[in-house]
Amino acid sequence: MLRVRDLEVRYGEARALEGVSLDVGDGEVVAVLGPNGVGKSTLVKSIAGWVGIRRGRVEFFGEEITGLAPEQICERGIALVPEGRRVFAELTVQENLELGAFNRRGRARQRESMERVLGMFPRLGERLGQRAGSLSGGEQQMLAIGRALMAHPRLLLMDEPSLGLAPAMADVVFAFVGEARGLGVSVLLVEQNVVRALGVADRGVVMERGAVVAAGSRDELMRTRQVQDAYLGTG
């Protein structure tokens, strides 16, 4: 489905990504792990077209999408749930969701997608007429995920979806990720909570200083030095 090869991104002279390669298969959940500042968010933003790529190649179902505009990438079936949620605070929940269906794929299935989103997140259905800025952080995260799903994506890029959430709301987010396969949606999940992320992922990669330094299944990654030292305190 998604194929990323030798991706390089720089902010001026500062290196953000250097030679990053990874794959996401149809129906897979792949976790991208690592501490702050190692390039995880830059990776998903570059795939989504939000950040320019200096070198490398991104393919989606065999089509090169490197350098396309964000709306063109979304049209092909990739949607981003950004870090910090970025809902439109002055608009209602319903208006935020409807904005997510701006592309051709979303418009064609807007009613179906709305029913699916409200079925997954019933709390949003109770607040359709409420302004998004008045929602709790967890509710805003549900809204950000729902808005992305309104584009009817094949691949969802999720950037730190549990950041700043209460444990109960984080449970809702991770439950959704675990169920995404049943919706026909693959997920590339950027997450600092390594145990929770690997609990719902098929496999993962670990990043350090803009590069992938380890990759494998949950059990394989839990045995790596990078994960043990950084997250489990066993190194």
Side-chain angles (χ1 to χ4, degrees):
M1 171 185 269
L2 179 72
R3 187 173 186 266
V4 177
R5 289 294 178 271
D6 299 320
L7 213 60
E8 179 182 330
V9 173
R10 292 180 180 267
Y11 297 124
E13 294 302 313
R15 181 186 68 182
L17 298 177
E18 187 71 40
V20 172
S21 296
L22 60 81
D23 298 290
V24 179
D26 201 359
E28 266 197 320
V29 176
V30 177
V32 181
L33 310 171
N36 282 333
V38 300
K40 305 188 307 297
S41 292
T42 297
L43 173 61
V44 290
K45 288 177 182 177
S46 63
I47 293 170
W50 287 26
V51 171
I53 295 170
R54 180 169 179 172
R55 182 175 60 83
R57 185 178 181 93
V58 181
E59 296 178 1
F60 191 58
F61 284 107
E63 177 190 3
E64 183 173 9
I65 61 172
T66 317
L68 293 184
E71 61 271 20
Q72 294 173 306
I73 292 173
C74 186
E75 192 68 60
R76 283 157 174 79
I78 298 177
L80 173 64
V81 181
E83 181 181 355
R85 300 176 279 278
R86 297 192 186 184
V87 299
F88 296 100
E90 297 303 314
L91 300 182
T92 66
V93 168
Q94 181 166 343
E95 289 167 338
N96 270 269
L97 292 173
E98 289 172 346
L99 282 174
F102 74 94
N103 64 343
R104 184 174 63 251
R105 294 169 60 87
R107 289 195 304 271
R109 300 186 178 186
Q110 182 170 339
R111 183 173 179 179
E112 172 193 341
S113 296
M114 182 71 77
E115 291 175 354
R116 183 172 69 168
V117 167
L118 298 183
M120 287 185 295
F121 302 119
R123 193 172 302 191
L124 295 182
E126 300 168 2
R127 291 160 169 72
L128 282 177
Q130 190 171 325
R131 285 199 292 187
S134 68
L135 301 179
S136 70
E139 291 166 344
Q140 288 187 14
Q141 187 62 65
M142 294 179 197
L143 180 56
I145 295 170
R147 182 181 59 192
L149 290 174
M150 290 294 294
H152 209 78
R154 297 290 304 278
L155 174 64
L156 201 58
L157 310 173
M158 303 185 72
D159 191 2
E160 301 285 7
S162 74
L163 186 65
L165 298 187
M169 286 300 183
D171 289 344
V172 172
V173 169
F174 284 113
F176 162 75
V177 176
E179 297 166 2
R181 302 172 188 83
L183 303 173
V185 180
S186 300
V187 179
L188 184 62
L189 172 66
V190 167
E191 181 59 56
Q192 288 193 60
N193 189 329
V194 63
V195 175
R196 296 296 304 271
L198 290 178
V200 297
D202 296 293
R203 54 190 178 84
V205 300
V206 179
M207 293 185 64
E208 288 182 359
R209 295 184 295 277
V212 172
V213 295
S217 68
R218 176 188 186 278
D219 290 341
E220 289 169 338
L221 288 181
M222 293 292 275
R223 292 193 297 267
T224 63
R225 172 191 58 79
Q226 290 86 359
V227 169
Q228 290 185 353
D229 289 356
Y231 301 104
L232 303 181
T234 58

